Amino acid sequence: MTVHPSLQNYADAWTHSIEAIAELVQPLVEGEWNRPTPCIGWSVRDIVSHVIGMETEMLGDPRPIHSLPRDLYHVRSDFARYMEVQVDVRRHHTAPEMTSELEYILIRRARQLRNESRSPEHLIRAPLGAEQTLELGYRDRAFDVWVHEQDLRTALGVPGNLDSAGALVARDVLLEALPKVIAQDAGAPASSAVVLDVTGPVEFLRTVRVDAEGRGSIDGAPSLGPAVTLATDWETFVRLACGRVRPAEVADRVKIEGDEGLAAAILDNFAVTPR
């Protein structure tokens, strides 16, 4: 690969996860494509359609011209509508159509990665007509395909890759969002700290600190007197942070120490992904 060194980890993580997705769906019979997934309103087919659609956008292909039905109850924002177009346009595609398009996209994106010569700071298009750096685009695709790989594994009953390269990208993306969740969304008091103790295939201990002005930051140093300590396993952490479950559904898998009111506020705002 000729990809810039700072992009290589994301390229490797993306490749591993999207190849895993292709392997998962290749043997599925027609009915299995309709299985529900942890993504509200999305079936196995819908998740694969989303992945295909986002990869075509990374390739610079034009978006489909398509009007969404009015009865999609899970589509509640402009961002969701943007994402739904690539999904809904493929809702009646057959299993062979889905797997062949996914295979074709894999070939094209692998070629794009091999020939990548743009700098990490190069601006590319992002959802809703925005722009983002190439590095952020690579990171987002590595994160997105790993999370959706896990959605498919849950739907199909085939667990795995909880400690893959994509899992480590997901860890970093989700942890980066936590200072805002805790300091702003949950309203943690100024000059307080919240500790997250996560065990399992990917394990870490992180402290979110709220300074005197109410700004949040995160580091790996322990706190001697945290306002709250949340302890859980990696899979539950991911499912909560990606909005795949509500806190009440996994209450037995989250141990809380300290201010229970603040802990509840944190968990209520824990989901940081649109999907």
Side-chain angles (χ1 to χ4, degrees):
M1 283 195 182
T2 58
V3 67
H4 191 280
S6 69
L7 305 178
Q8 190 66 59
N9 178 55
Y10 300 136
D12 292 344
W14 173 88
T15 300
H16 186 268
S17 291
I18 204 162
E19 287 180 351
I21 287 174
E23 186 176 332
L24 282 168
V25 302
Q26 184 63 44
L28 298 183
V29 298
E30 198 67 50
E32 290 175 302
W33 286 84
N34 298 322
R35 284 192 186 184
T37 72
C39 281
I40 296 172
W42 279 8
S43 64
V44 167
R45 176 185 284 99
D46 295 338
I47 282 184
V48 177
S49 295
H50 166 72
V51 169
I52 290 171
M54 292 302 99
E55 299 309 330
T56 65
E57 297 196 16
M58 286 294 286
L59 286 161
D61 292 359
R63 280 174 54 79
I65 299 173
H66 180 72
S67 297
L68 292 176
R70 294 172 179 259
D71 59 350
L72 297 176
Y73 68 94
H74 58 282
V75 178
R76 299 178 179 176
S77 67
D78 289 343
F79 185 83
R81 279 187 284 276
Y82 182 95
M83 291 299 173
E84 198 71 20
V85 168
Q86 295 278 14
V87 172
D88 194 65
V89 78
R90 294 176 172 84
R91 279 218 159 94
H92 299 294
H93 286 197
T94 64
E97 286 174 326
M98 294 299 298
T99 53
S100 62
E101 187 178 13
L102 180 60
E103 181 181 358
Y104 181 51
I105 288 298
L106 269 166
I107 292 169
R108 292 180 64 204
R109 284 282 279 130
R111 183 186 302 123
Q112 184 185 48
L113 290 176
R114 284 196 305 271
N115 297 328
E116 185 62 84
S117 59
R118 296 170 294 180
S119 74
E121 295 77 28
H122 179 83
L123 292 178
I124 60 172
R125 80 181 185 191
L128 293 174
E131 287 188 328
Q132 62 184 356
T133 64
L134 185 65
E135 183 171 5
L136 183 57
Y138 269 56
R139 187 185 77 157
D140 284 354
R141 295 311 311 137
F143 170 69
D144 193 53
V145 294
W146 181 82
V147 171
H148 287 312
E149 177 199 341
Q150 294 305 313
D151 290 331
L152 293 172
R153 289 186 178 281
T154 299
L156 299 171
V158 188
N161 284 347
L162 281 168
D163 60 351
S164 66
L168 300 182
V169 173
R171 174 200 62 193
D172 294 344
V173 170
L174 295 173
L175 285 175
E176 186 179 285
L178 282 183
K180 177 182 180 296
V181 166
I182 291 170
Q184 297 178 36
D185 301 338
S191 304
S192 66
V194 172
V195 170
L196 290 131
D197 185 1
V198 174
T199 58
V202 175
E203 60 178 27
F204 52 85
L205 182 74
R206 294 290 188 277
T207 301
V208 175
R209 304 179 194 278
V210 184
D211 66 17
E213 283 74 44
R215 294 185 296 263
S217 62
I218 190 167
D219 61 54
S223 172
L224 296 178
V228 171
T229 297
L230 297 174
T232 190
D233 62 277
W234 167 238
E235 186 174 6
T236 302
F237 175 87
V238 169
R239 294 173 74 197
L240 282 167
C242 294
R244 272 36 178 186
V245 291
R246 294 184 176 90
E249 296 175 67
V250 290
D252 61 329
R253 301 184 69 170
V254 181
K255 181 181 177 183
I256 298 171
E257 294 181 2
D259 185 335
E260 293 192 0
L262 176 57
I266 292 169
L267 291 171
D268 284 345
N269 290 279
F270 212 75
V272 297
T273 64
R275 264 279 171 194

